[in-house]
Amino acid sequence: MTSGHPTGLHADLRTKGFAITHDHLDSGRLRALQDDARSLVARFVRDGYRSEDYWSYDDAGHDLPMLYRIHHLERQGARRITDFVAGALLRRLAAETLGTSAQPTAAALIVKTPGVAGVPWHRDRTNVPPATAINLSLFLQDATPENGCIEVVPGSHLLADDSDVDTVRRTGPILALPARRGDILLHDVRLVHGSGRNPTTAPRHSIIVEFDRTASGSLLMVT
Ligand code: NI
């Protein structure tokens, strides 16, 4: 499962639908991204900022809306996150994993607020063949089964476009993918995956960027 070698990432994507790679960010750079992520979340939670890019839902047990995603992450004015999303590292990892160059097509911050609901099982999309588009997730804090790490059905990216997600999940096998802060998970957009709720008291953030080797140009509106 673990590999930093280009061939390894590409092989893992093709056979399993995901790969994990480590040790690409030093602690200072990781801390800068953590700080930027906390600042963006604080705009919503502390300052009352609201935008259609900040995805939340109302929950009877909480006074504040439950924030779970900040969409169009590259446009939110967090400079170090914007640089990271558009930078060379992710482009290189995407190219190694897909076996060819690819363009970033979407970016978001996934916010695992304590108590926020898990992500229902799904495929991101199935309108591309396997090993065509991937999502790269940089974990800003450790992700464990205890705080709702991602779970996948290995190989499910190869299933038919119209496969029933609930049936695939029941058939399994389900594999939890714990990760350390700084790890980068790459998964096929076709992979069947989900994640549990975060019952701890500590928020968990991850930066997710989609790359598509068939995209003609970058859809990120980085300025
Ligand atoms: Ni997803």
Side-chain angles (χ1 to χ4, degrees):
M1 178 173 79
T2 300
S3 176
H5 190 273
T7 308
L9 293 178
H10 188 51
D12 281 353
L13 180 74
R14 294 190 75 89
T15 57
K16 296 190 293 191
F18 67 89
I20 296 180
T21 183
H22 315 279
D23 300 328
H24 295 286
L25 298 170
D26 63 32
S27 59
R29 195 164 178 215
L30 188 60
R31 203 173 312 119
L33 295 173
Q34 291 167 339
D35 289 346
D36 267 11
R38 272 193 287 268
S39 295
L40 290 177
V41 172
R43 287 174 79 192
F44 183 93
V45 174
R46 187 194 62 205
D47 305 338
Y49 174 79
R50 296 292 181 268
S51 145
E52 62 183 17
D53 289 337
Y54 279 60
W55 296 8
S56 67
Y57 65 91
D58 292 322
D59 182 80
H62 295 84
D63 293 337
L64 278 176
M66 302 296 283
L67 177 67
Y68 63 94
R69 180 184 177 103
I70 302 175
H71 203 56
H72 293 136
L73 181 58
E74 74 285 0
R75 299 183 199 170
Q76 306 303 327
R79 182 181 53 80
R80 294 166 300 187
I81 280 182
T82 300
D83 289 347
F84 173 75
V85 164
L89 171 62
L90 293 187
R91 279 179 187 271
R92 178 170 62 77
L93 289 174
E96 289 179 6
T97 305
L98 289 167
T100 183
S101 64
Q103 295 288 343
T105 46
L109 183 71
I110 306 301
V111 182
K112 278 277 189 184
T113 308
V116 75
V119 178
W121 284 77
H122 67 283
R123 305 169 98 176
D124 297 331
R125 56 190 177 100
T126 56
N127 59 348
V128 289
T132 300
I134 54 175
N135 269 309
L136 291 81
S137 300
L138 169 68
F139 298 100
L140 299 180
Q141 286 83 28
D142 294 351
T144 66
E146 288 71 36
N147 66 9
C149 70
I150 189 170
E151 299 175 34
V152 308
V153 177
S156 55
H157 62 308
L158 301 173
L159 297 173
D161 294 356
D162 60 353
S163 296
D164 180 65
V165 167
D166 287 335
T167 304
V168 175
R169 177 194 180 187
R170 273 197 304 276
T171 307
I174 292 172
L175 181 64
L177 296 180
R180 296 289 308 274
R181 61 184 179 276
D183 288 355
I184 295 176
L185 168 70
L186 311 100
H187 77 80
D188 198 298
V189 296
R190 300 175 55 91
L191 190 70
V192 175
H193 62 283
S195 67
R197 61 193 299 120
N198 176 7
T200 73
T201 55
R204 180 166 75 72
H205 302 149
S206 53
I207 295 171
I208 187 163
V209 183
E210 187 194 83
F211 280 76
D212 186 331
R213 65 183 172 88
T214 63
S216 55
S218 173
L219 300 184
L220 296 186
M221 307 293 282
V222 175
T223 55

